[in-house]
Amino acid sequence: HNLSLAGMSTHPTDIEVHWIDSNHSSYSIDIGEVMGSTAADIGPVDLSELTGNWTGDVVTLWLEFTSDTHYASPATDVRIGWVKLTE
């Protein structure tokens, strides 16, 4: 339920987590963190607390990085050092 990661991006980016659980339900959440140009650790973020509707086991999980709405550049390079998902 807890997501942690380390990374950086050339421009500020919002981090969204998407997943499908064992009940075939799809979810997504903006974790409320912005990745910036300085490498940093993010989290742990409690996904169950953010969504309030975590059910079943995660069978598919992916991250989406989108340009922060306050920044106009559509092209952003993202570098991820590690990702950790724990109970």
Side-chain angles (χ1 to χ4, degrees):
H1 298 229
N2 294 301
L3 172 75
S4 302
L5 62 95
M8 62 185 285
S9 60
T10 53
H11 303 294
T13 59
D14 293 323
I15 305 167
E16 291 184 7
V17 178
H18 301 263
W19 68 95
I20 299 171
D21 68 14
S22 57
N23 298 320
H24 306 290
S25 297
S26 298
Y27 302 96
S28 67
I29 188 75
D30 182 330
I31 67 169
E33 298 280 347
V34 175
M35 187 177 295
S37 58
T38 303
D41 292 350
I42 296 173
V45 176
D46 186 342
L47 299 176
S48 61
E49 185 176 297
L50 288 176
T51 62
N53 57 5
W54 188 283
T55 62
D57 294 326
V58 172
V59 294
T60 304
L61 176 86
W62 68 97
L63 301 175
E64 181 178 354
F65 302 94
T66 56
S67 292
D68 189 291
T69 55
H70 303 290
Y71 199 88
S73 176
T76 300
D77 293 330
V78 175
R79 296 187 66 166
I80 302 297
W82 54 266
V83 176
K84 184 176 182 180
L85 185 63
T86 59
E87 272 188 73

